[in-house]
Amino acid sequence: MWLPNVLVHSFSVVLILIASSSTALAQSSPAPHWAIAIHGGAGGDPTKWSDRQKELRRQGLERALTAGKEILAAGGTSLDAVEQTVRILEDDPTFNAGRGAVLTSDKRAELDAAIMDGSNKACGAVASVTAVANPISLARKIMTQTRHVLLVGPGADRYSAEIGMPQVDPSYFVLRPNEADQSLYRTSEGAYLGTVGCVALDAHGNLAAATSTGGLGGKMPGRVGDSPLIGAGTYAENSTCALSATGVGEEFIRNAVAFDVAAKMKYAGMSLENAVDQVIFQTLKPDTGGVISVAADGSTVLKHNTPGMSCGVADSRGRFDIMLAIENK
Ligand code: ASP
């Protein structure tokens, strides 16, 4: 049968359209090709916070999650997304990291941070630093510019000056001198600050994790928590997951929490969700913290064994959620 060219052409366009819409139907829920999760700490009890405190938390998380999401949606790397997201939270005095860091028993800020690239296990970390506003960026420099993983105290501060990172006066962090003895972990009803972290999967299939904190309020000078310790509070490996923890650092160090989740996936073939469940609800003591994590398939798992965990998730399927606690944890 003879058909005019234009008809043949439109017929094939219709066929192509039908074919592609049925493909879309068959995969109505494709795995997200990028995903990001953030946390702003698991200390305190959100039901006891004022409306203003809750609002500041939500706004800060939303601002950070939006920035991270935009980097990933534009095809940026998970490493850039986690660093930039954490920098925004570090600059926000609402959170216990960077500017808003809680203080040691002698009322100084000593900051810890770590970043890890899941594509090659490159990682960098700082502990007890006092001179930069954004310890997460110093951690990234240590990862990319030195042969070391972790620099601490005066050596790390000196390195930050040598490479030209803007230096801040110790007073930059002293926003709440009278709250220096406030423990974030439930001993105070007014506790409302929290460590920050971010994990991401980018459209290139790479995972990354970052965590930054002022540690525990009233800590002994020189105390280092889990956040800057790779495998305790921070970990990323493309074949398993990226994870950032928050909670009583000593408990997370003892249990090598971040690596334990990855190891359960790698050696026992567990799903990310089962691995996190086991660590948070069986291994750790109750009321000690939580984690955010993302697997290579884009699934995100956020869990805590505390009354709350400020957190958020976004992905390429259009999800964008901010929460002060996970329901049905
Ligand atoms: N894990 C942090 C630390 O122990 C504190 C926190 O997550 O709030 O330093």
Side-chain angles (χ1 to χ4, degrees):
M1 187 180 64
W2 177 88
L3 285 171
N5 246 352
V6 61
L7 256 186
V8 173
H9 182 68
S10 357
F11 186 59
S12 42
V13 168
V14 170
L15 277 184
I16 288 166
L17 282 179
I18 292 171
S20 55
S21 74
S22 61
T23 319
L25 279 180
Q27 301 172 349
S28 60
S29 200
H33 59 264
W34 59 259
I36 179 168
I38 60 174
H39 71 75
D45 180 348
T47 62
K48 301 196 169 119
W49 296 342
S50 67
D51 288 347
R52 175 83 184 134
Q53 285 170 340
K54 286 190 226 173
E55 199 39 42
L56 285 172
R57 272 296 172 106
R58 286 185 179 283
Q59 284 171 359
L61 291 168
E62 192 172 326
R63 209 168 25 241
L65 190 61
T66 302
K69 171 195 134 144
E70 279 169 6
I71 292 172
L72 295 170
T77 66
S78 52
L79 209 53
D80 283 341
V82 298
E83 182 192 358
Q84 293 308 321
T85 303
V86 164
R87 280 179 66 98
I88 291 170
L89 295 167
E90 285 177 336
D91 291 342
D92 184 337
T94 307
F95 299 94
N96 170 21
R99 178 102 166 111
V102 297
L103 306 178
T104 62
S105 57
D106 57 10
K107 303 198 187 232
R108 281 165 51 86
E110 293 185 355
L111 310 170
D112 298 343
I115 190 164
M116 186 160 185
D117 179 346
S119 70
N120 56 9
K121 291 199 192 169
C123 46
V126 290
S128 295
V129 294
T130 62
V132 287
N134 296 108
I136 200 65
S137 295
L138 180 56
R140 186 166 179 183
K141 288 279 185 218
I142 289 164
M143 172 176 104
T144 54
Q145 314 285 326
T146 80
R147 61 199 165 89
H148 305 304
V149 166
L150 172 62
L151 290 188
V152 307
D157 283 339
R158 194 167 75 211
Y159 176 67
S160 73
E162 278 166 16
I163 59 172
M165 290 190 81
Q167 305 287 289
V168 293
D169 188 80
S171 62
Y172 171 82
F173 304 105
V174 185
L175 301 178
R176 295 170 288 261
N178 299 327
E179 291 181 24
D181 57 350
Q182 167 185 290
S183 167
L184 288 179
Y185 276 86
R186 314 254 295 121
T187 53
S188 158
E189 294 226 331
Y192 63 94
L193 295 164
T195 289
V196 307
C198 181
V199 293
L201 164 72
D202 64 29
H204 317 285
N206 291 323
L207 297 177
T211 313
S212 183
T213 187
L216 297 185
K219 67 186 179 181
M220 290 171 68
R223 177 265 189 191
V224 175
D226 59 314
S227 312
L229 301 185
I230 299 301
T234 306
Y235 194 69
E237 185 183 15
N238 275 4
S239 60
T240 54
C241 65
L243 185 146
S244 170
T246 176
V248 181
E250 287 71 7
E251 181 71 359
F252 282 71
I253 295 170
R254 267 177 220 118
N255 291 291
V257 164
F259 185 71
D260 196 27
V261 169
K264 283 180 180 357
M265 297 174 76
K266 187 155 43 175
Y267 305 128
M270 289 175 83
S271 67
L272 177 60
E273 174 141 32
N274 289 344
V276 168
D277 265 338
Q278 211 176 80
V279 172
I280 293 293
F281 300 112
Q282 291 174 30
T283 307
L284 291 176
K285 290 189 195 135
D287 208 11
T288 48
V291 302
I292 55 167
S293 55
V294 58
D297 66 359
S299 55
T300 48
V301 177
L302 296 79
K303 305 255 175 173
H304 54 99
N305 62 23
T306 45
M309 181 168 77
S310 302
C311 52
V313 189
D315 68 30
S316 51
R317 286 197 301 226
R319 183 169 182 199
F320 190 97
D321 291 323
I322 300 290
M323 299 153 278
L324 298 184
I326 304 286
E327 307 282 329
N328 305 320
K329 45 180 185 156

